[in-house]
Amino acid sequence: MKLTLRIWRQSGATGRLVEYPMDDLSPDMSFLEALDVLNERLITSGQEPVAFDHDCREGICGMCGMMINGMAHGPEKATTACQLHLRHFRDGDVVTVEPWRAEPFPVVRDLVVDRSAFDRIVAAGGYISVPTGSAPDAHATPVPKPDADTAFEAAACIGCGACVAACPNGSAMLFTAAKATHLGVLPQGQPERYSRARDMVAEHDASGFGGCTNTGECTSACPKGIPLTTIARLNADLLRAHTTRSDR
Amino acid sequence: MPYTEGAPIADQRVPAGPIETRWDRRRFSARLVNPANRRNRSVIVVGTGLAGGSAAATLAELGYQVKSFCYQDSPRRAHSIAAQGGINAAKNYRNDGDSVHRLFYDTVKGGDFRSRESNVHRLAQISVEIIDQCVAQGVPFAREYGGLLDTRSFGGAQVSRTFYARGQTGQQLLLGAYQALERQIAAGRVEMHPRTEMLDLIVVDGRARGIVVRDLVSGAVSTHFADAVVLATGGYGNVFHLSTNAKGCNTTAIWRAHRRGALFANPCFTQIHPTCIPISGDHQSKLTLMSESLRNDGRVWVPRDPHDTRAPNDIPEADRDYFLERMYPAFGNLVPRDIASRAAKNISDEKRGVYLDFADAIARLGALAVEQRYGNLFEMYQRITGDDPYKTPMRIYPAVHYTMGGLWVDYDLRSTIPGLYVIGEANFSDHGANRLGASALMQGLADGYFVLPGVIGDYLADAPFDAVDDSHPVVADTMSEVRGRVKTLLAVNGDRTVESFHRELGRLMWDECGMERDEAGLRKALERIPELRDEFWQRVKVPGTGEALNQELEKAGRVADFFELAELMCVDALHRAESCGGHFRSESQTPDGEALRDDANFSYVAAWEYTGVGRPPVLHKEELVFEHVTPSTRSYS
Ligand SMILES: Cc1cc2nc3c(=O)[nH]c(=O)nc-3n(C[C@H](O)[C@H](O)[C@H](O)COP(=O)(O)OP(=O)(O)OC[C@H]3O[C@@H](n4cnc5c(N)ncnc54)[C@H](O)[C@@H]3O)c2cc1C
Ligand code: SF4
Ligand code: FES
């Protein structure tokens, strides 16, 4: 099949869209495989290939991510760019491909951005303090199945950054709330629940992510379907953190 | 034969006495570093998967100064994240007859009697603590309605001891380790270097003292020093080009260490996973696994008539051959991977594949229950193939998945270079010639959370060692070798892409050193690999510069190392003229086509010493002694 790819190329402070007509694609290819085909062509003709992040190509590592026709990870719901297949495009389509656009995610090159702000948010409190060796037997604390399921759904976040890229405010509240919910609904996560919410949100704000105004763009772009209710939960914990004593 | 034989490996540093108390005794005999002194001892940990992430976090908790490295943009993205099915532990929560001894026994037998008993026993003992640790970290394992943990069965076991978090067990375990790691980063005890690739090992006065790395964003080549170096850099399945591994998985770190003197053990022991999505075309960039857990409820079959062109749902029961159930009634669809893969290969081919059918499970349990167990796997299958597995059986075929071989380590997980430790899939230790499902996650976390932190103090007690820096002649040499290689790769400026070489090498390895090997094929590969390698260095084209993010350059360096490793794999496969586990030599099979081991001649670990590119390596044998599990012909029928 044929597609025209318009791809953002950037190697310094600024970049531009460059058009690449492709006529040797197959509907069974993934979107990243189409970029592979393009890159092979660019290399053999002496040009620099398009830089893009990827690793697992199974929708789980969170490494890939790009705006495809203005949509984070492209048009398919609950699908990362690496799992998007060309059968979802029409023969002859023009497809625009750009990096995540958000101030806290500076472009490194072409479609590659720097997402280290996410690691800093987790480092600020997105964990349970339990040094190796200090754990009680796994069955010491039963966890009601619904709570375990809620924790799991939130824990499914892959840290890709699509929520930020989709948000008109460049907010990372969905990412932050997913972690706060994962740990905050489990009994093991209770002791640090409120300080965790407070510290992660403080880091979120310090990194330059915008505030949440509940537009919901994040959850529709999220490849793992992290629900907006996680943000409500985080906000409630945050309120509690500011009104109760949580030393640390 | 293109190799020579050297002295056998005499000392594995396994404590004497009853196997049940060996680990206790080793921990007791290992010297400790007093907490106040740990601050002055430093450790480099390369890799942030389950093994490296858990090790770095735990060493930092103990008070050591840790530097951690990964090539991805965040430690959370290590390939462990993709593990689907589960993690084994001898908790016996089901009261179904499981025990530490049974997990030990299953693992030694599953590995076809090519692993070291003492290590495997320790792994089984530690398995129990891993689950406790992970639950305490908030890993959301699947639970029953009563709030307790759920388990399922995996291949090669008749008990239900596999803990899981839907089809995302690796992700959840890795996030637990990553969060522990981030906590230590925030505390200033771990210095994290993402997007940084280790390109060489620095060995000074016989000790591993540091690494040479390239910053993948700026291209800068620099050094890092420490009192000990830990490699947790995963497996080398990508030598086959197409595998279930993440695209970046590579052998560079362990191969460079091998070139610096670390022995490489059993390089030819590769695992082919029976249930992967078949190749759809030449553009294929990687293969996707469908978790082994699916074989709990899915039934594997092929049409009785190989020329049957009907759609699977139109083929009536009578025309189907449920070949695993037929051939292996005791384990049925849950036979170990090597057996299931070969059976599938013998009965079908790459194009047709075999069916994995859930119709019975859906009728028995309901679609909802099936969705709860495997929902995300079904979605992934549908996304990739366009077919709905709730309605039509999955089509699957074997693919390269895991490498049991790796750097040789002793009981302390130390390589043959003092101060160089190797953990996780990067070492050869616990799985013999075949790894059982859900045992890699167990091993990675056992190594990282418990084994390494339990013994590394014994080595660090002698530290700190004399300071070294870039002016040291050995360091300067290592640096200039690395820089030279980068320069050469860029300078060739030929007419073939790295990808085209990788594809060709992968095809050759799959054909001649894949699921079945024979002498003629291996000799052919051993002729072809050096030719192809020479061609690579004359014709490869790597655009761009070394002073910036250059993904082609990264790939070129990795493929260059695969070319050297591939040769050693073929030498190892050729020399091992027996079949065992994942290593199937066509010349060595039983009348009904099962692997025929030759214990009289091959009951050893083959540890190879490097002597130069294309030069015959030296074989060092570690004899395997079985005191607790008597080697027998594996039987799953
Ligand atoms: C699709 C799939 C599913 C699986 N499912 C299961 C399962 O259900 N149960 C099970 O037990 N096992 C499973 N396995 C196997 C298991 O996931 C792996 O064996 C295990 O996760 C390996 O962990 P590791 O920590 O050793 O290495 P990895 O997780 O591979 O981590 C390697 C680390 O090393 C870093 N690295 C590599 N090279 C360099 C370098 N040169 N410089 C710097 N850093 C480097 C990487 O950045 C990464 O951080 C599965 C494997 C695959 C492919
Ligand atoms: S919340 Fe969703 S979109 Fe945001 S980082 Fe996590 S998985 Fe990606
Ligand atoms: S490459 Fe891992 S999520 Fe896309």
Side-chain angles (χ1 to χ4, degrees):
Chain A
M1 74 189 273
K2 282 191 201 309
L3 288 180
T4 301
L5 299 177
R6 296 171 68 227
I7 301 179
W8 184 261
R9 304 301 309 260
Q10 174 171 349
S11 61
T14 55
R16 66 197 173 96
L17 284 168
V18 179
E19 214 166 274
Y20 300 102
M22 307 280 297
D23 53 13
D24 47 356
L25 302 174
S26 139
D28 285 332
M29 280 181 188
S30 72
F31 198 79
L32 301 191
E33 284 169 346
L35 293 181
D36 292 341
V37 171
L38 170 64
N39 278 346
E40 286 290 289
R41 204 174 78 193
L42 292 176
I43 297 164
T44 20
S45 65
Q47 301 171 61
E48 294 221 15
V50 178
F52 64 95
D53 267 331
H54 64 98
D55 204 22
C56 74
R57 298 206 176 190
E58 290 191 3
I60 192 75
C61 74
M63 188 103 176
C64 69
M66 51 196 78
M67 300 302 279
I68 302 175
N69 282 340
M71 289 167 283
H73 289 301
E76 276 293 292
K77 253 203 119 47
T79 303
T80 52
C82 59
Q83 291 281 288
L84 174 66
H85 282 67
L86 298 192
R87 64 179 80 92
H88 300 293
F89 294 89
R90 274 174 321 209
D91 199 24
D93 274 357
V94 178
V95 184
T96 305
V97 191
E98 292 172 276
W100 290 161
R101 302 270 185 213
E103 225 161 274
F105 288 166
V107 174
V108 175
R109 190 185 182 90
D110 298 339
L111 305 175
V112 176
V113 300
D114 177 353
R115 284 170 292 201
S116 49
F118 271 13
D119 291 325
R120 291 197 301 273
I121 292 176
V122 174
Y127 47 73
I128 290 172
S129 300
V130 50
T132 305
S134 57
D137 183 86
H139 270 178
T141 313
V143 179
K145 187 167 164 37
D147 291 349
D149 288 347
T150 306
F152 178 86
E153 277 156 26
C157 164
I158 58 174
C160 62
C163 46
V164 177
C167 176
N169 310 322
S171 173
M173 276 303 262
L174 194 65
F175 167 79
T176 309
K179 188 51 45 202
T181 300
H182 160 207
L183 300 175
V185 297
L186 292 172
Q188 291 84 357
Q190 293 312 306
E192 294 161 300
R193 177 169 166 188
Y194 303 108
S195 61
R196 176 184 306 118
R198 181 195 63 205
D199 296 345
M200 286 174 74
V201 170
E203 182 59 41
H204 168 277
D205 295 351
S207 288
F209 292 106
C212 171
T213 53
N214 270 312
T215 64
E217 295 291 338
C218 52
T219 185
S220 4
C222 173
K224 298 296 145 181
I226 304 296
L228 267 191
T229 46
T230 57
I231 298 186
R233 190 187 289 272
L234 172 60
N235 282 331
D237 283 359
L238 206 53
L239 194 65
R240 196 52 204 280
H242 290 304
T243 52
T244 55
R245 186 187 146 137
S246 57
D247 311 301
R248 204 169 63 95
Chain B
M1 275 298 218
Y3 72 92
T4 59
E5 193 165 335
I9 298 176
D11 190 7
Q12 299 109 51
R13 313 226 291 168
V14 175
I19 199 164
E20 292 78 11
T21 54
R22 281 181 195 165
W23 176 228
D24 261 0
R25 272 174 296 121
R26 178 59 192 133
R27 276 187 294 178
F28 185 70
S29 68
R31 287 169 300 164
L32 299 175
V33 179
N34 141 358
N37 286 341
R38 291 186 202 145
R39 254 178 274 130
N40 315 322
R41 305 287 191 276
S42 54
V43 183
I44 283 172
V45 182
V46 189
T48 58
L50 287 180
S54 60
T58 304
L59 293 174
E61 286 164 6
L62 287 171
Y64 296 111
Q65 278 300 333
V66 178
K67 286 184 175 191
S68 165
F69 299 81
C70 68
Y71 68 74
Q72 294 92 346
D73 69 332
S74 161
R76 67 179 287 154
R77 306 202 203 282
H79 166 60
S80 294
I81 200 102
Q84 301 171 350
I87 176 166
N88 288 330
K91 279 288 196 186
N92 194 28
Y93 281 156
R94 296 258 168 197
N95 199 25
D96 57 0
D98 200 9
S99 62
V100 165
H101 196 83
R102 186 177 295 280
L103 176 53
F104 159 65
Y105 173 88
D106 285 351
T107 309
V108 172
K109 174 183 170 202
D112 217 0
F113 307 96
R114 289 294 174 263
S115 49
R116 193 188 290 148
E117 275 190 342
S118 306
N119 285 53
V120 178
H121 195 276
R122 172 177 65 191
L123 176 64
Q125 286 175 314
I126 290 176
S127 70
V128 173
E129 287 172 78
I130 295 173
I131 302 301
D132 299 341
Q133 182 64 28
C134 295
V135 165
Q137 289 171 341
V139 170
F141 283 118
R143 288 184 184 262
E144 311 260 22
Y145 281 97
L148 302 179
L149 296 167
D150 193 13
T151 52
R152 56 193 179 197
S153 301
F154 256 54
Q158 287 170 313
V159 294
S160 180
R161 63 159 80 96
T162 305
F163 295 80
Y164 67 101
R166 237 170 267 180
Q168 283 137 270
T169 315
Q171 178 196 28
Q172 295 310 320
L173 295 173
L174 184 59
L175 290 179
Y178 159 74
Q179 287 162 201
L181 178 62
E182 288 295 338
R183 188 165 85 94
Q184 296 306 312
I185 294 172
R189 286 191 285 261
V190 176
E191 190 181 292
M192 184 69 226
H193 298 267
R195 288 206 203 268
T196 306
E197 183 163 26
M198 166 180 166
L199 294 180
D200 218 331
L201 179 74
I202 297 171
V203 184
V204 179
D205 298 333
R207 293 181 192 274
R209 293 302 309 278
I211 57 176
V212 179
V213 300
R214 181 169 175 272
D215 178 323
L216 299 180
V217 176
S218 71
V221 171
S222 65
T223 49
H224 291 271
F225 301 103
D227 294 312
V229 176
V230 180
L231 299 185
T233 49
Y236 51 85
N238 278 351
V239 66
F240 292 91
H241 183 245
L242 289 182
S243 83
T244 62
N245 289 192
K247 290 293 284 175
C249 290
N250 67 89
T251 188
T252 292
I254 59 172
W255 188 256
R256 294 281 129 193
H258 174 57
R259 290 180 51 132
R260 298 273 167 215
L263 300 188
F264 203 123
N266 299 334
C268 81
F269 286 175
T270 323
Q271 178 163 84
I272 315 274
H273 196 291
T275 53
C276 303
I277 302 180
I279 298 175
S280 73
D282 293 338
H283 56 266
Q284 195 86 27
S285 61
K286 73 156 291 186
L287 294 168
T288 301
L289 174 78
M290 288 284 109
S291 167
E292 175 156 313
S293 59
L294 293 169
R295 287 198 273 144
N296 268 278
D297 291 305
R299 299 179 66 197
V300 178
W301 62 273
V302 288
R304 274 188 197 287
D305 172 6
H307 305 294
D308 198 327
T309 52
R310 287 175 290 180
N313 284 335
D314 296 337
I315 301 180
E317 278 300 308
D319 293 345
R320 299 175 174 194
D321 178 8
Y322 293 89
F323 58 96
L324 291 178
E325 297 170 28
R326 170 171 59 78
M327 294 159 65
Y328 308 100
F331 282 69
N333 292 295
L334 282 173
V335 288
R337 293 174 175 176
D338 53 331
I339 293 183
S341 290
R342 220 168 34 250
K345 185 187 175 202
N346 289 338
I347 213 153
S348 183
D349 60 40
E350 265 165 319
K351 287 224 166 55
R352 284 178 295 142
V354 304
Y355 292 116
L356 181 61
D357 197 334
F358 292 88
D360 284 358
I362 291 171
R364 191 176 74 239
L365 306 162
L368 193 68
V370 171
E371 184 189 334
Q372 277 186 345
R373 281 183 203 173
Y374 312 114
N376 71 315
L377 296 170
F378 278 35
E379 277 169 31
M380 182 148 78
Y381 182 87
Q382 180 160 17
R383 232 176 266 129
I384 292 172
T385 63
D387 287 340
D388 177 359
Y390 292 99
K391 300 206 176 96
T392 174
M394 288 182 177
R395 213 163 55 81
I396 52 161
Y397 200 68
V400 174
H401 179 59
Y402 182 88
T403 47
M404 280 75 70
L407 292 186
W408 185 90
V409 288
D410 63 15
Y411 188 71
D412 285 358
L413 304 181
R414 204 171 98 178
S415 74
T416 44
I417 301 176
L420 180 70
Y421 290 80
V422 191
I423 59 178
E425 193 174 338
N427 74 22
F428 88 105
S429 66
D430 298 343
H431 308 294
N434 173 56
R435 173 176 69 79
L436 290 182
S439 286
L441 303 184
M442 168 173 73
Q443 182 223 331
L445 291 180
D447 288 0
Y449 281 133
F450 297 104
V451 181
L452 181 82
V455 291
I456 199 171
D458 190 51
Y459 180 79
L460 293 173
D462 289 332
F465 304 111
D466 292 345
V468 275
D469 60 25
D470 287 0
S471 65
H472 191 289
V474 173
V475 180
D477 281 356
T478 313
M479 282 267 266
S480 73
E481 273 180 49
V482 168
R483 290 209 170 101
R485 234 168 99 82
V486 169
K487 252 206 199 114
T488 312
L489 284 170
L490 288 162
V492 177
N493 197 20
D495 59 353
R496 274 189 71 177
T497 61
V498 177
E499 186 70 14
S500 79
F501 279 109
H502 195 185
R503 221 175 262 280
E504 193 173 342
L505 174 68
R507 189 73 228 183
L508 181 67
M509 290 299 283
W510 175 249
D511 288 343
E512 310 303 348
C513 196
M515 220 177 324
E516 270 191 55
R517 298 126 182 220
D518 62 28
E519 182 173 341
L522 289 164
R523 289 199 185 278
K524 185 174 135 201
L526 281 170
E527 262 172 45
R528 185 67 191 124
I529 293 167
E531 291 168 7
L532 202 56
R533 187 170 56 219
D534 288 347
E535 195 180 328
F536 174 86
W537 286 102
Q538 281 155 23
R539 289 184 58 190
V540 73
K541 185 171 186 87
V542 181
T545 73
E547 282 79 49
L549 179 77
N550 186 338
Q551 295 173 325
E552 277 303 298
L553 179 62
E554 296 166 25
K555 221 160 58 177
R558 293 170 192 159
V559 171
D561 288 333
F562 281 139
F563 269 116
E564 295 179 15
L565 166 70
E567 198 173 13
L568 185 66
M569 289 172 73
C570 292
V571 170
D572 186 41
L574 181 60
H575 112 281
R576 194 173 277 278
E578 64 156 353
S579 295
C580 56
H583 170 63
F584 191 84
R585 281 286 297 266
S586 329
E587 300 95 334
S588 180
Q589 50 181 305
T590 63
D592 31 330
E594 300 294 348
L596 185 62
R597 267 195 347 258
D598 176 358
D599 290 340
N601 292 304
F602 291 101
S603 182
Y604 60 81
V605 174
W608 298 94
E609 180 188 340
Y610 178 84
T611 59
V613 183
R615 298 246 188 87
V618 183
L619 171 63
H620 299 272
K621 293 179 181 172
E622 175 196 338
E623 286 301 328
L624 292 170
V625 183
F626 294 92
E627 295 169 319
H628 300 86
V629 186
T630 314
S632 56
T633 301
R634 285 190 309 169
S635 165
Y636 292 94
S637 41

